[in-house]
Amino acid sequence: EEKYGDALAVYRYVLALDPGNHSAIAGVSVAENFIKEGTDRHKRLGDKYSEDKKFYLALKEYKKALTFDPDDTLARKSAKAAETELLAIVNPITDEARGFEDAGEFADAVRSYTAALEHDPEIKDSLEGKTRAAAILEKKFSENVASGKRNLEAGDYLKAAENLKAALKLKPDDQDVKGRLVKAQKSVDMAIAAKLKAAEKAFKEGNYAAAMEGYNAVLAIEENNLQAADGVGNAKRQLSDEVVKKLSMAEDAFHQGKFYQSYTFAGDALAMDKDSKSAKTMRSAARQKMDESALPILKKAAQELGKGNTDAAIADYKRVLNTDPSNETAKKHLSGIDKSKVMRSVQSKVKKLYDE
């Protein structure tokens, strides 16, 4: 078509010099007919592709038409329209692909770049993006498969399953990874079943804190496990009821002046719910009452000890421990007195042996 365009220009130049030149007149006719036929043929093809929504092919045909006749207004207008339609389709897909790539979803990124290239095989951003995302995908796939194999061999089936699931997300059709995942998942399922069994046992025995811990361990492995989720809910409700009961018992004991019992019941409530403000307050109040009642007796015991009245001091320390078995001061001094008595007894026996 370029040669015919050049020929037409030459013929027209000749006619400008010699308007009656028959060869030039004939040449102009042939060249113009060829250019018109070529232009019309490619415009028709472009129109057909446009009707079929194949805008990349349509654009190529309109551009070919313009190589025959660069001044064809209709071909130029149609090319612009086809290009606009093509960009309206390709740009959102390319943007989506970039979003997947930024989010680390490389398999989806490759699929989106591929989809964009199906509409326009020559678009530079999609070609480069697909190459880049595919390379990262291959790298991450290989890393996950290698880690999965290592963890399988080491018997860490939970980590192996995580690795292989990540690999399969990148390449959903990889049969080797599917097979390894089945093996890992079987062991994970067995571990889940064992944890659920232990949690159910703890629940039936009334150990709701242990039950909840077991159910949560299952959810850490399989977050959508319905049995574990229900178990956590039931254990929480039971645990809450138990906490309320223990707090009620602690309050009753406190009002009855049984401060050590109150302290113990509040401690039981805290063991079940370490964030319970009521349990913390009650335990602290009971502790304070025990310390207040123990203080004068401890002072008297120290005075008796200072006078050498060991038996009286022991009796006082035991009085304290009868009401507060957790009192460290009384336990410490009582233990010291016992050791001192044993030591004096030993020394007495040794002295007798030497005297003999």
Side-chain angles (χ1 to χ4, degrees):
E1 55 269 20
E2 290 182 4
K3 291 181 179 179
Y4 276 88
D6 292 341
L8 181 60
V10 171
Y11 289 136
R12 284 175 174 170
Y13 178 75
V14 171
L15 285 174
L17 298 175
D18 182 6
N21 189 298
H22 296 293
S23 297
I25 293 171
V28 166
S29 178
V30 170
E32 286 181 339
N33 286 335
F34 179 84
I35 289 171
K36 185 177 185 307
E37 287 174 3
T39 302
D40 291 344
R41 181 173 68 255
H42 287 297
K43 283 197 294 186
R44 285 194 301 273
L45 284 171
D47 291 343
K48 178 67 171 62
Y49 284 132
S50 289
E51 289 176 10
D52 295 339
K53 308 295 182 184
K54 297 178 180 178
F55 299 109
Y56 169 74
L57 295 175
L59 180 58
K60 289 192 75 171
E61 292 301 327
Y62 292 133
K63 285 182 176 179
K64 287 179 181 178
L66 289 169
T67 62
F68 282 91
D69 184 0
D71 298 322
D72 190 293
T73 304
L74 183 57
R76 190 171 298 280
K77 182 179 178 181
S78 297
K80 183 64 177 176
E83 185 177 30
T84 300
E85 293 285 356
L86 182 59
L87 290 174
I89 295 171
V90 170
N91 284 348
I93 301 174
T94 304
D95 290 342
E96 179 186 61
R98 289 196 197 98
F100 283 134
E101 194 175 357
D102 291 341
E105 303 290 340
F106 298 105
D108 290 331
V110 170
R111 280 192 287 272
S112 291
Y113 282 129
T114 301
L117 290 168
E118 287 173 358
H119 291 283
D120 184 354
E122 297 177 3
I123 188 167
K124 185 180 178 182
D125 284 352
S126 292
L127 285 167
E128 292 177 350
K130 181 179 179 180
T131 300
R132 182 177 57 248
I136 298 173
L137 184 149
E138 284 296 333
K139 182 175 181 290
K140 289 188 172 293
F141 176 79
S142 298
E143 290 173 348
N144 279 307
V145 171
S147 296
K149 287 179 180 178
R150 281 197 303 272
N151 285 319
L152 271 177
E153 291 172 2
D156 193 341
Y157 299 107
L158 177 58
K159 285 186 178 178
E162 289 175 356
N163 296 142
L164 295 170
K165 283 178 181 177
L168 206 58
K169 187 177 180 181
L170 295 169
K171 290 189 179 182
D173 299 324
D174 191 287
Q175 295 303 313
D176 177 62
V177 173
K178 283 183 178 180
R180 293 178 189 276
L181 180 58
V182 168
K183 180 181 177 181
Q185 192 62 50
K186 184 178 179 180
S187 296
V188 170
D189 290 343
M190 289 173 63
I192 288 174
K195 289 180 184 296
L196 284 172
K197 185 177 179 180
E200 291 291 335
K201 183 174 182 293
F203 186 90
K204 288 176 182 177
E205 293 172 351
N207 192 350
Y208 304 116
M212 191 156 63
E213 185 178 344
Y215 290 129
N216 280 323
V218 171
L219 291 173
I221 300 171
E222 188 177 71
E223 62 181 355
N224 296 320
N225 189 290
L226 294 179
Q227 185 178 349
D230 289 342
V232 167
N234 293 332
K236 275 185 177 179
R237 284 189 290 274
Q238 291 294 337
L239 199 59
S240 178
D241 291 344
E242 288 297 311
V243 169
V244 170
K245 287 179 184 177
K246 290 291 183 182
L247 281 174
S248 177
M249 293 167 69
E251 288 177 6
D252 290 344
F254 188 89
H255 292 310
Q256 293 170 20
K258 300 175 181 178
F259 302 117
Y260 182 72
Q261 285 187 10
S262 177
Y263 178 81
T264 302
F265 290 140
D268 292 341
L270 274 175
M272 290 183 280
D273 181 4
K274 61 183 176 62
D275 297 320
S276 173
K277 291 182 179 179
S278 298
K280 288 177 181 178
T281 301
M282 177 57 65
R283 195 163 188 255
S284 177
R287 176 80 268 167
Q288 184 177 345
K289 287 291 185 182
M290 288 189 293
D291 290 343
E292 287 174 356
S293 68
L295 185 60
I297 304 173
L298 289 172
K299 284 183 177 179
K300 182 175 177 295
Q303 290 170 355
E304 295 292 349
L305 200 59
K307 296 174 184 178
N309 298 331
T310 304
D311 290 339
I314 289 173
D316 285 334
Y317 286 131
K318 285 184 176 179
R319 278 179 61 200
V320 171
L321 291 174
N322 282 337
T323 56
D324 178 12
S326 66
N327 191 288
E328 292 298 328
T329 302
K331 287 194 287 186
K332 179 182 176 182
H333 284 291
L334 197 57
S335 174
I337 292 171
D338 289 340
K339 287 177 182 178
S340 178
K341 288 177 72 175
V342 170
M343 183 60 70
R344 285 197 299 271
S345 175
V346 170
Q347 288 173 345
S348 175
K349 289 178 181 179
V350 170
K351 186 175 184 301
K352 284 181 180 180
L353 286 172
Y354 275 104
D355 290 343
E356 292 175 358

